[in-house]
Every structure is written in C-alpha cells, then in structure tokens.
Amino acid sequence: MSDDGGGFGVGTAVALGVGGIVGGGIYAAIGIVVAAAGVLTWFAYSLATVVVLSCAYSYVKLNEITENKGGSVTYIEELTGRSTTAGVVGWTLVVGYVGTMAMYAYAFGAYGQMMLGVAYVWGLPIRQFLSVCVVAVFVGINLLGAGSTATVERYLVFVQAGIIAAFGLIGLWFGFSNQMLQVGLSSLVRSLTSYDFNPILAASVGFVSFEGWQLLFYDQEQFDDPKETLAKGIFISIPIAAFIYILVGFVITSLLPEEVVAAQPEAALLYGGLVISKWLALAVGIAGLISTASAINSTLFSEAIFAKNLIGDEILPEEMGDPGADAAPTRTVLVIGFFTAAFTILGSLEAVVEFASLAFIVVFGTMSALALTHRDETDINVIPPLIGTVGSAAFFVMLTWYLYAQLPSVFWLVVVIAALVFTVEAVYFERESIEEGIQEIERQV
C-alpha cells in the first residue's frame, strides 16, 4: 500500500475512501438509522453494506471497460450514447451532493450547539447559524483556490475514523463489562417472521452514509494505475467503514434507550459517549466537528469539479460557471454553496438524510443495471450487479412509501424538489434541441 511514485497509491485510496464514507456520514445519519432500526441497527448497516459493495463492484467494472475517466455520467454516455439519460443522472448527483453537504452542515451545527450549550446567537438559532457559517467558510476557501487535497484528507482520516472507531471499541468494552450489550437476535427473528420491514427501511435510510467512495472516480489522474488502484482502495475501504458503522451502531443501541435516540437522533453519539465518560463525549464531539467540516470541504470541492465537467459536456448550463477554469469555477462554487445553505436551514435532519439517500439509491442502482446489461463485454460476474440493481430498487420503493405514509411533509418536499430539477433540466435540454434545429435550418438556407 505504498504511495511512492508520481501519484497516489492504494494507501491513499483507502484513506480517502474510509474518510469519505465515515467522515461525515456517521455523525449525521447514524441517529436516524438507529431511530428506525433500534437494536437491529447492526443488521441494517450489514444489509446496506451488501448492496453498496455490489454497486461498487459495478462501478469498478464499468471503469475498466470505459476509456474516459469520470464516473456515472461518463459511463452512461460512453456505453449507451444517451446524453439525456446521462444528464438526468448528472443532475441527480449534483442535487444529491447538495443534500449530502446540507446533512453534514446540519450535523456540524447540531454538534456545535450541543457542545456550546447555547440556543441563539445575535437572535439567530445557533444550529442554523453554525451550519451556514461552516458552508460559507469552505465556499470561501474553495474560491481562494485552496480546495481539498488528497494529502490533507489522507492524514485527517486518522482523526475522523480513528476517534469514532476508538469510541466503538471502548463502548464495546464498557457494555460488555456492565452486561449492557444487546445483539437483538430475538428481535431479528421476530422482524423476519412478522414481515417487519423496519431494519430494511433503516438500511435504505442509511444508504447515503456510504456514498463517499464514488468521489474517487472523479479525479482518477491523481492515482498511479488508477483502474487497479481504485478497485483495491474501494474494496478495502468499504468493509473498513462498514465495520465501524456496524460496531458503533451496535454500541449505541446497547448503551442508549431507543426513545432517547428517537428524540434527538443528531445527539446519539454524544449521549453514547456521556454514558461512558464526559471526556470520551468531548472527544467524539470534537471529532464530529472536524469530520463534518472536512466532509463539507472535500464534497464541495469534488462536486464543483464534477459540475465543471458537466458544464463542459453541456449537461449543465454554462451560466453555472466557466468549464475552462483551472480550478473550481467561482459561480459553480457559489451556486452549490447557496443551495446547500438554503437546504440546511429549511430542512430537518431526517429530510436531508432521506432526500440524499434517495438520490444515491437511484444513481447506484442505475450503475448496477448498466453493468448488468454490459456483463458480456468483460469478466463481470452477474451476481453483484443483480444484487445492486434489485437491492437499490427495493430500497427506493420502501423509502418512498415510508415517506409517503409516515412523513408526508418530507415526501412532498422530495417530490417538489425532484419536479423542479427535472422541469428545469427538461427545459434546458429542449432549449438545446431547439437551438440545434434553428442552426440546421439556417445552414440549409
């Protein structure tokens, strides 16, 4: 796992993968998953891991059989030639990343509020104030050209994942010593025999927790032998991150009553730390602030570069930024930052988590289906893409139905956002078709 040479090696790919997955996701989403799955949180994360690994396999295989390097949109364009479908996926990813950053910003503000013990500052709710401030800080950093660097993120992962892994191990020891550990096997049997889909629903809710690894595909040039390096890095980093999620979820559900987590899901890790030691809770809180802030920074940088490429491919309108910019275009960063701040102010934690999960379920499922249809072009094992496709479809249906039946306000928010995105997208692509038609007529005249 040496990183000698001109580019980064497997070690950096693993560090970026683990950091991207665990970095902000565990602090932002785990409480929502625990509230849905209860003592079976470990099972929900295990189920999500199987589907995510299957989707990751599809990404790796698609990356092997395509010439261009760039992730989901590139794969669709090159393998199907359907620019409109590629555009839908591109826009979905852009909006999904906005939701993800809003989730990180929400968690940052919530942790800051709990650690400061202050509800308002200058008459403003401190959670929203801190959330907007951290987004503004990293928008400014990206505009100054600092952005995100693999070198910094590589070492920061030891803070991000190290502290939370230590929390899980200490919590495991504490729970074992005090006979508090609950595996929940009887609950699992009861759930399976009574057609209780809450653990599966929780797996779909927590899907966004695993999205960070695909960011590696957007800047493959930084790695030596990128196809092989990314494959190894992703297949190592996802199991490591999954182990941390499963361990921490198991510990939290053993140490805390379900009603405590359900009442304040964003505080689950802090409350779990307080059961053991106030110093552990402080360490978790500090790690939460660092991790969510770092996740905002790296995601903002990656999304801005991703959006710049989409602008260059005419999938996004040129008004969003200059595709010829050396770094992230200024307008692109400002637009992304604005919508992220707006979403984190207006949305609840549950709303942004589940919205982002739906977006990535759609994209990951689409990539699995694409790999399934091109299985004859290389040595693609049919089972992982099939699991990724079916699993993603099941998660999408279940999560959508849950929102409609139990959280109608969140459901209609998602519907409105999706309708707006697809309407703007349709108008944009239709405008391009009309312009091409007019130009063709002018040439004939």
Side-chain angles (χ1 to χ4, degrees), residues 14-284:
V14 171
L16 292 174
V18 173
I21 298 169
V22 177
I26 197 164
Y27 296 94
I30 194 167
I32 303 296
V33 177
V34 170
V39 72
L40 295 179
T41 295
W42 64 268
F43 176 77
Y45 274 125
S46 300
L47 184 60
T49 301
V50 172
V51 178
V52 169
L53 273 173
S54 299
C55 295
Y57 175 88
S58 299
Y59 266 86
V60 168
K61 289 300 180 180
L62 290 173
N63 199 50
E64 289 180 1
I65 64 176
T66 52
E67 295 296 327
N68 297 315
K69 302 171 182 177
S72 311
V73 175
T74 299
Y75 302 153
I76 293 175
E77 283 188 314
E78 185 171 331
L79 294 176
T80 71
R82 298 177 180 175
S83 58
T84 301
T85 303
V88 170
V89 171
W91 284 57
T92 301
L93 276 172
V94 169
V95 176
Y97 285 131
V98 168
T100 303
M101 287 189 291
M103 177 182 75
Y104 296 151
Y106 192 110
F108 179 91
Y111 273 82
Q113 177 181 345
M114 287 183 286
M115 294 184 69
L116 291 173
V118 178
Y120 292 90
V121 58
W122 300 329
L124 301 173
I126 186 113
R127 201 283 300 165
Q128 287 88 337
F129 177 80
L130 292 175
S131 295
V132 172
C133 282
V134 73
V135 172
V137 165
F138 288 114
V139 165
I141 288 174
N142 276 268
L143 291 181
L144 292 174
S148 174
T149 65
T151 303
V152 174
E153 297 292 333
R154 176 176 53 171
Y155 293 109
L156 196 56
V157 70
F158 294 106
V159 176
Q160 296 175 332
I163 292 179
I164 197 63
F167 163 80
L169 294 173
I170 293 171
L172 188 65
W173 169 82
F174 180 87
F176 177 78
S177 301
N178 292 275
Q179 299 181 339
M180 300 172 68
L181 299 181
Q182 303 179 63
V183 177
L185 291 179
S186 60
S187 298
L188 178 60
V189 172
R190 186 168 57 251
S191 176
L192 295 176
T193 55
S194 63
Y195 302 102
D196 176 13
F197 296 111
N198 278 344
I200 303 176
L201 172 65
S204 66
V205 170
F207 202 84
V208 68
S209 304
F210 289 93
E211 63 81 23
W213 55 268
Q214 74 150 340
L215 294 173
L216 296 175
F217 288 98
Y218 297 148
D219 194 13
Q220 298 185 42
E221 289 75 12
Q222 65 182 325
F223 296 99
D224 288 325
D225 191 8
K227 292 183 184 293
E228 182 178 350
T229 298
L230 289 186
K232 291 179 179 178
I234 286 169
F235 288 135
I236 295 173
S237 61
I238 292 178
I240 292 174
F243 170 77
I244 294 174
Y245 277 127
I246 293 167
L247 173 63
V248 173
F250 174 63
V251 166
I252 288 177
T253 54
S254 295
L255 300 184
L256 296 176
E258 291 181 21
E259 57 270 18
V260 172
V261 179
Q264 280 191 291
E266 68 273 14
L269 287 172
L270 278 180
Y271 286 162
L274 283 172
V275 172
I276 303 171
S277 163
K278 64 179 181 181
W279 298 111
L280 181 59
L282 178 62
V284 169

Side-chain angles (χ1 to χ4, degrees), residues 378-445:
T378 185
D379 58 336
I380 296 180
N381 186 316
V382 70
I383 295 177
L386 184 61
I387 293 175
T389 303
V390 175
S392 297
F395 283 171
F396 179 83
V397 171
M398 187 164 293
L399 185 52
T400 303
W401 174 253
Y402 169 76
L403 293 179
Y404 175 77
Q406 302 295 329
L407 297 170
S409 59
V410 177
F411 172 80
W412 288 114
L413 174 63
V414 171
V415 169
V416 169
I417 292 174
L420 287 174
V421 170
F422 289 131
T423 299
V424 173
E425 181 187 32
V427 170
Y428 173 69
F429 280 112
E430 184 65 26
R431 184 198 68 178
E432 294 292 302
S433 300
I434 293 172
E435 288 179 353
E436 291 174 1
I438 292 174
Q439 291 172 1
E440 180 64 27
I441 292 173
E442 290 177 345
R443 284 194 293 268
Q444 292 176 354
V445 172

Side-chain angles (χ1 to χ4, degrees), residues 308-373:
K308 180 179 76 169
N309 294 333
L310 294 184
I311 296 168
D313 292 338
E314 298 183 350
I315 291 176
L316 287 176
E318 61 182 11
E319 288 79 7
M320 274 195 67
D322 177 14
D326 292 334
T330 298
R331 277 176 292 169
T332 306
V333 173
L334 289 173
V335 170
I336 293 171
F338 170 79
F339 283 108
T340 299
F343 205 3
T344 198
I345 290 173
L346 300 175
S348 66
L349 179 60
E350 193 166 31
V352 294
V353 167
E354 291 169 355
F355 171 79
S357 284
L358 281 173
F360 288 106
I361 286 170
V362 169
V363 174
F364 285 12
T366 301
M367 293 304 103
S368 295
L370 186 62
L372 194 60
T373 59

